[in-house]
Structures are given as C-alpha cells and as structure tokens.
Amino acid sequence: MKIAVLAVQGAFIEHEQKLKKLGASCVELRKAEDLKQSYDGLILPGGESTVQGKLLRELGMFNTLRDQILSGLPVLATCAGMILLADHIEGDPTVHFQTMPVTVRRNAYGRQLGSFHTVHDLKGLGEIPMTFIRAPYISQAADDVEVLAAVDGHIVAVRCKNQTALAFHPELDESDALHQQFLAQCKNA
Ligand code: GLN
C-alpha cells in the first residue's frame, strides 16, 4: 500500500510515521513531478490552509491533485486539509479544491480555546482521542455528507464518497484507528 502525503507545509511527518507503523509506504508530494507516481490514497495534513493553498498553485500541483480527488482517490484530510477540500470557507472568498460540499469556519474555537483535547465517539470506531489545534469546524454540510462526529454540537468529522475530513489531528494521538480505517478504504478502492 502506497500513500501520498502532501508535504509542502504543516504536520505531514506525523502522518508518515503512523502510516509506516501500520506497514504502508509513503510518497511525499512536494512538486508537480511527484504526482506522476502511482499511489493508493492521499493525506492532506494539518498546517496553514492559506499557505498550503498558495503553494499548491505555485508549485503546479493544484489541478492534478484536484482531478485525482474527483476521480475517486481515497483522501484523508485533517484540519487545514479539511479547509482545502471545502466548497465554502466562511468570510473568505479564497477557496481551494472545493471537492467536498461543506462550509467550514476557520479558527472556529477562537483564540482562548485555540487548542484542546477530548475523547469522543466517532461513528463506526467508538471513542477516540481528538486533539484540536486552532481547528475549524463544519458549519454546514450537504445531504450527501455523512457526519461521523460532532463535538459540543459542532461537526468535526465527515465522509463524502472517497473523502474523509477531520477537524482534529489523529496523527498526534496514540490511537491508530483512523489511519487503519483509511488504509482499509484504500485497499478496497
Ligand atoms: N488554523 C489553520 C488554518 O486555518 C488550521 C490549523 C491546523 O491545521 N491545525 O488553516
């Protein structure tokens, strides 16, 4: 199993460590040429979505990656990655892939509660640890988006066809459940 990890900015190394621990190999996507390799899935890591969106365009990776997502490549997006997928970003006209019919609110928990940790139920997996770092949440989701978890009434995990988006950082916690589930999804795709 070979998984591509967007590696232009942000917390990509932690995802790679998880994937390797689970027996998958990783391809780092840093430039347009890297997209020519074959891979079974894609991880969009946390970081700063504005910077990632800008670099994706400047490095000539944006259109190809968007096409790959639209063609059904399994995607696991965390935090900033979730913002990259969203159709709409509240109060921000600069959107990115727009492959997921949701509206996100960036830095949704404000500065005071910028980062927090909780343990919460996620559909199909049970209780898992969730670490939020200046996280977004989903303020609106279309009917074909499956809500996997809502914390304090706010949607923080969703699935829509081949795309899974999380507002938190499973790569930073001890649980491997989400990465395991993603690898199973890539295997079946
Ligand atoms: N606040 C970041 C953004 O808006 C996301 C934070 C994260 O990925 N941990 O892109």
Side-chain angles (χ1 to χ4, degrees):
M1 190 70 44
K2 212 189 215 184
I3 306 297
V5 182
L6 181 66
V8 294
Q9 190 269 340
F12 53 90
I13 299 214
E14 292 83 352
H15 279 290
E16 291 172 14
Q17 286 165 349
K18 278 271 188 219
L19 294 168
K20 283 176 191 160
K21 181 180 163 195
L22 295 171
S25 58
C26 302
V27 181
E28 288 191 345
L29 304 183
R30 293 176 180 276
K31 52 187 186 311
E33 223 176 60
D34 298 333
L35 306 179
K36 290 184 187 149
Q37 300 168 77
S38 73
Y39 33 83
D40 308 294
L42 168 68
I43 289 196
L44 299 175
E48 195 53 46
S49 56
T50 47
V51 178
Q52 293 180 356
K54 190 166 174 275
L55 287 172
L56 278 168
R57 288 170 174 95
E58 284 175 7
L59 295 165
M61 299 164 82
F62 186 88
N63 291 327
T64 309
L65 266 186
R66 184 170 189 275
D67 287 347
Q68 291 178 353
I69 297 169
L70 288 173
S71 323
L73 181 70
V75 185
L76 178 65
T78 58
C79 208
M82 176 166 120
I83 298 168
L84 291 183
L85 295 180
D87 265 1
H88 305 283
I89 303 171
E90 279 189 21
D92 192 345
T94 313
V95 280
H96 308 286
F97 291 130
Q98 292 187 287
T99 52
M100 166 92 74
V102 296
T103 300
V104 293
R105 180 176 298 183
R106 290 183 63 207
N107 302 321
Y109 296 93
R111 283 194 176 272
Q112 291 253 301
L113 195 63
S115 303
F116 64 100
H117 182 82
T118 188
V119 174
H120 200 280
D121 200 63
L122 190 135
K123 202 172 177 178
L125 289 182
E127 300 240 299
I128 57 158
M130 298 182 181
T131 296
F132 294 85
I133 303 170
R134 296 187 47 73
Y137 61 62
I138 290 178
S139 52
Q140 273 181 56
D143 289 345
D144 57 343
V145 174
E146 184 185 6
V147 175
L148 302 175
V151 172
D152 297 332
H154 300 304
I155 300 172
V156 297
V158 291
R159 181 170 302 133
C160 183
K161 296 178 208 136
N162 53 315
Q163 304 170 70
T164 304
L166 312 169
F168 55 94
H169 287 267
E171 76 283 9
L172 299 181
D173 280 308
E174 67 279 10
S175 168
D176 298 330
L178 274 155
H179 288 81
Q180 236 154 11
Q181 190 185 56
F182 178 60
L183 289 177
Q185 185 196 342
C186 296
K187 201 173 165 193
N188 294 332

